[in-house]
Amino acid sequence: MSRNLEEPRRIAFAELVALLERIFVRFGTSVPNARILATNCAQCERDGSLSHGVFRIAGYVASLNSRWVDGRAVAAIEQHGPSFIRVDARNGFAQPALAAAMPLICESVARAGVTMVAIRDSHHFSALWPDLEPFADAGLVSLAMVSGLACVAPPGGRKPIFGTNPLAFATPVAGSRPLIFDFATSAMSNGDLRLAAKAKHTVPLGTGIDADGALSGDPDAILSGGALLPFGGHKGASISLMVEILASALTGGQFSNEVDFSAHAGAETPKTGQTIIVIDPTRGETRAFAERVKTLLDCVRDAGQARLPSDRRYQTRAQSERNGIPLTMRQYDELVALAQ
Amino acid sequence: MSRNLEEPRRIAFAELVALLERIFVRFGTSVPNARILATNCAQCERDGSLSHGVFRIAGYVASLNSRWVDGRAVAAIEQHGPSFIRVDARNGFAQPALAAAMPLICESVARAGVTMVAIRDSHHFSALWPDLEPFADAGLVSLAMVSGLACVAPPGGRKPIFGTNPLAFATPVAGSRPLIFDFATSAMSNGDLRLAAKAKHTVPLGTGIDADGALSGDPDAILSGGALLPFGGHKGASISLMVEILASALTGGQFSNEVDFSAHAGAETPKTGQTIIVIDPTRGETRAFAERVKTLLDCVRDAGQARLPSDRRYQTRAQSERNGIPLTMRQYDELVALAQ
């Protein structure tokens, strides 16, 4: 009797981290980098950010195999003034670079009140919220942006310039977990577009354009020579442009449309830049900041918004912590095979 | 023969500033504050930001007359750490408060690399781009947010919580005027909604809700007990919420839904807060920042975006500088009458 591969295989967080760590090490990352990347990926899977969870492991492995990204990179950290920290990720992943800069960032923001973190030559292949949650847990407000691979056309344009260029924001909230939002500034994520194509579904008009620059609801047309569009029309497009400027121009990283991994077959990770602004909100305090945020969120819920950003993530996290993280047997088997 | 009041009456920038200054002084602002507010208002009119130009004078006058805002306020400026500047506008307008803090802001960002400006107890009744253009002219990158009067409901909500909560961003560009965007994070500005109501036009579904919380394309229904919605669905709503947190909670100012001028008949200006983050982009430089922004904007235009944020404003400015600012005879007469 054959095993049903779609059957659930629940796994504890620590066990998933250990399994993913073995995979990262096996495909060429250093042990400290593997620990950071494995934890990040397991957090995404645990919290239901599935497009940045275990699903991404194949892409990490392919990029490492292609030698496009350096899994052993050790970031160089340079302080340029009391509040400006430059990080050269040296062609490594962004998360270990951020982790290396973390003590200096926290020291700088505690002293100065706000700190700008400019990471360049970095590969960011995950969600942004895991980068920001530790800041919020430490009582800090933060804002992060990352550029990507050109797949989003400017409004009225015919070819892709921007990455999906996510924007994330995190703030402490008195009496509860931090509020964190994290979204692509494209009308739809690349992952969701691919899922729609696979399922032969149409997507809303405004999601993207075909190869002729015409609006299209056909995901295949958007994927074959077309492009996504920014969310929210001209306003969203301005935000995509701002992300590109802050995450790439300001950091000294590459723009989304400059990433060229054609010499690295199988590479998937964008090598661009990331900007994080970290603020000590108690500096502006005339009334307790985290209490004021709580007051505002209570008003928003009371006005009828059923779900606030990050609500669903915390619910999924609680379920995962109670019952284990729900992989399928197929996913589990694949991870075990990769780890050996 | 009667004069045609709709006939154009072109006016030079300096003449308009002087005329507006006399109005502000006449209705109770100090001379230095009047100069700053008059310049700001004339800049908006000159550049075609008409909803923040001469059109606003009646509202300024009514708010000053109601004693809701203090036209003679002198802001108190407090530095809280090398990179954090708190400004108490003391119930005055935000623009004179920012002007008073300007030398300290420039000194702080030159020394530290980034500076957070948190203005509270301030009335912002204009566009944000005039606040940021001087930073961009000085080679700095800046980001500004201001909260307002509650007229925007959260998604799925039935009552207004947020102001139109504008967000603005400015950056230098090599070889040309700065790139600046500045937009309401509501689906439509209050001004445009009122214009649609007056013209008996419908507005796109998604612009707002009626008093029962149902989506409505009828501007009258949105204005009578309903509310606007944020732009761009849940993503835009998250940005509105971030603006409220950064411009009000972080500064110690009031939230948009806490503004209560019921005791001041005629008052129109919101008393909330404003946040400005100012960054020295040369700190992140591995390649010349303003040149890199130019490279990106060239790509965006080349990809087919016909007009970038602020293009139209600079075109209108050039026309105004050549031919004078085009008021109507009616507008001119009204300003002259108010000034006497």
Side-chain angles (χ1 to χ4, degrees):
Chain A
M1 199 176 103
S2 73
R3 290 160 73 216
N4 178 1
L5 290 173
E6 301 317 317
E7 191 177 290
R9 167 61 167 91
R10 295 191 174 267
I11 183 168
F13 179 72
E15 191 192 346
L16 180 56
V17 171
L19 180 56
L20 296 176
E21 199 180 330
R22 275 157 54 206
I23 297 173
F24 279 110
V25 169
R26 177 156 178 244
F27 288 92
T29 73
S30 65
V31 171
N33 289 357
R35 167 57 58 100
I36 290 163
L37 294 167
T39 301
N40 181 289
C41 182
Q43 285 169 333
C44 291
E45 190 70 28
R46 176 197 67 193
D47 287 13
S49 297
L50 299 186
S51 57
H52 293 106
V54 161
F55 167 78
R56 289 264 157 151
I57 290 296
Y60 278 110
V61 164
S63 269
L64 285 161
N65 274 340
S66 76
R67 300 179 178 272
W68 162 245
V69 58
D70 179 3
R72 302 187 177 279
V74 176
I77 297 154
E78 309 154 13
Q79 182 148 17
H80 280 251
S83 294
F84 204 111
I85 296 169
R86 266 165 62 164
V87 182
D88 179 354
R90 289 179 163 159
N91 194 32
F93 289 104
Q95 292 81 8
L98 174 59
M102 207 65 181
L104 188 60
I105 296 169
C106 293
E107 191 193 308
S108 168
V109 72
R111 196 178 48 231
V114 58
T115 293
M116 177 84 198
V117 185
I119 306 175
R120 69 181 184 278
D121 208 16
S122 54
H123 297 249
H124 204 296
F125 200 52
S126 184
L128 283 171
W129 66 260
D131 298 347
L132 298 190
E133 192 167 326
F135 292 116
D137 281 335
L140 301 169
V141 168
S142 55
L143 197 59
M145 299 172 217
V146 66
S147 41
L149 299 174
C151 60
V152 178
R158 287 166 175 270
K159 59 182 189 193
I161 297 290
F162 306 130
T164 54
N165 289 9
L167 172 72
F169 172 78
T171 178
V173 183
S176 71
R177 296 292 308 143
L179 175 89
I180 310 182
F181 70 72
D182 173 6
F183 57 76
T185 58
S186 50
M188 186 174 275
S189 74
N190 238 320
D192 285 338
L193 184 65
R194 281 171 205 282
L195 285 178
K198 206 169 157 185
K200 308 273 173 214
H201 288 158
T202 58
V203 293
L205 219 60
T207 303
I209 53 173
D210 63 20
D212 298 324
L215 289 177
S216 175
D218 173 6
D220 283 319
I222 297 170
L223 287 164
S224 334
L228 284 162
L229 284 170
F231 89 100
H234 272 84
K235 295 180 180 183
S238 290
I239 293 176
S240 278
L241 176 61
M242 176 182 77
V243 171
E244 196 74 36
I245 291 170
L246 292 180
S248 291
L250 190 79
T251 62
Q254 294 188 95
F255 289 126
S256 298
N257 70 342
E258 292 173 338
V259 177
D260 177 11
F261 43 38
S262 54
H264 296 268
E268 287 193 28
T269 57
K271 174 162 62 175
T272 54
Q274 179 180 12
T275 275
I276 308 176
I277 299 171
V278 187
I279 305 163
D280 173 6
T282 64
R283 303 285 177 135
E285 233 170 55
T286 57
R287 293 179 267 192
F289 173 77
E291 291 289 344
R292 289 287 285 159
V293 176
K294 179 186 187 303
T295 299
L296 177 65
L297 299 189
D298 286 348
C299 288
V300 169
R301 289 192 203 272
D302 178 62
Q305 184 168 354
R307 201 175 66 225
L308 290 185
S310 56
D311 278 357
R312 189 188 279 172
R313 209 155 51 225
Y314 293 129
Q315 284 162 11
T316 308
R317 183 182 301 182
Q319 285 165 5
S320 293
E321 284 170 348
R322 227 172 11 246
N323 308 322
I325 299 166
L327 300 182
T328 61
M329 196 58 87
R330 181 192 306 276
Q331 286 178 306
Y332 180 76
D333 286 353
E334 283 170 1
L335 293 178
V336 169
L338 278 173
Q340 278 160 354
Chain B
M1 199 177 102
S2 72
R3 289 158 78 216
N4 177 358
L5 289 173
E6 302 317 319
E7 191 177 290
R9 167 62 166 92
R10 294 191 173 268
I11 184 167
F13 179 72
E15 192 193 346
L16 181 56
V17 172
L19 179 56
L20 296 175
E21 199 180 330
R22 275 157 54 207
I23 297 172
F24 278 110
V25 169
R26 181 160 175 240
F27 287 92
T29 73
S30 65
V31 172
N33 288 358
R35 167 58 57 101
I36 290 163
L37 294 167
T39 302
N40 180 290
C41 182
Q43 285 170 333
C44 290
E45 190 71 27
R46 176 195 67 191
D47 288 12
S49 298
L50 299 186
S51 58
H52 293 107
V54 160
F55 167 78
R56 289 265 157 151
I57 289 297
Y60 277 111
V61 164
S63 269
L64 284 162
N65 273 340
S66 75
R67 298 180 180 272
W68 161 246
V69 58
D70 180 2
R72 301 187 178 278
V74 176
I77 296 153
E78 308 153 13
Q79 183 148 18
H80 280 251
S83 293
F84 204 111
I85 296 169
R86 266 165 62 161
V87 182
D88 180 353
R90 290 178 163 159
N91 194 30
F93 290 103
Q95 292 81 8
L98 174 59
M102 206 67 180
L104 188 60
I105 296 168
C106 292
E107 192 192 308
S108 167
V109 71
R111 197 179 47 233
V114 60
T115 292
M116 178 83 199
V117 186
I119 305 175
R120 69 181 184 277
D121 208 17
S122 55
H123 297 250
H124 205 295
F125 200 52
S126 183
L128 284 171
W129 64 261
D131 299 346
L132 298 191
E133 193 167 326
F135 292 116
D137 281 336
L140 301 170
V141 167
S142 55
L143 197 58
M145 298 170 217
V146 65
S147 41
L149 299 174
C151 60
V152 177
R158 287 164 175 271
K159 61 182 189 192
I161 297 290
F162 307 129
T164 54
N165 289 11
L167 172 72
F169 171 77
T171 178
V173 184
S176 71
R177 297 291 310 141
L179 175 90
I180 310 182
F181 71 72
D182 173 6
F183 57 75
T185 58
S186 50
M188 186 175 276
S189 74
N190 238 321
D192 285 339
L193 184 66
R194 280 170 207 284
L195 285 177
K198 207 169 157 186
K200 307 272 174 216
H201 288 158
T202 58
V203 293
L205 220 62
T207 303
I209 54 173
D210 64 21
D212 297 325
L215 289 178
S216 174
D218 173 6
D220 284 319
I222 297 170
L223 287 164
S224 333
L228 284 163
L229 284 171
F231 90 100
H234 271 84
K235 294 180 181 185
S238 290
I239 293 177
S240 277
L241 177 62
M242 176 182 76
V243 171
E244 197 74 35
I245 291 170
L246 292 180
S248 292
L250 189 76
T251 63
Q254 294 187 96
F255 289 126
S256 299
N257 70 341
E258 292 173 337
V259 177
D260 176 13
F261 43 39
S262 55
H264 296 267
E268 288 193 27
T269 56
K271 173 162 63 174
T272 53
Q274 179 181 13
T275 275
I276 309 177
I277 299 171
V278 187
I279 305 162
D280 173 6
T282 64
R283 302 285 177 133
E285 232 169 55
T286 55
R287 293 179 269 193
F289 173 77
E291 292 287 344
R292 289 287 286 159
V293 176
K294 179 185 186 302
T295 298
L296 178 64
L297 298 188
D298 286 349
C299 288
V300 170
R301 290 194 204 271
D302 178 61
Q305 184 168 354
R307 203 174 64 224
L308 289 186
S310 57
D311 278 357
R312 189 189 276 171
R313 209 155 53 225
Y314 293 129
Q315 284 161 13
T316 308
R317 182 182 302 182
Q319 285 164 7
S320 293
E321 284 171 349
R322 229 174 9 247
N323 309 321
I325 299 167
L327 299 183
T328 62
M329 194 57 86
R330 181 191 307 275
Q331 285 177 305
Y332 179 75
D333 287 354
E334 284 171 0
L335 294 179
V336 169
L338 278 173
Q340 276 160 354

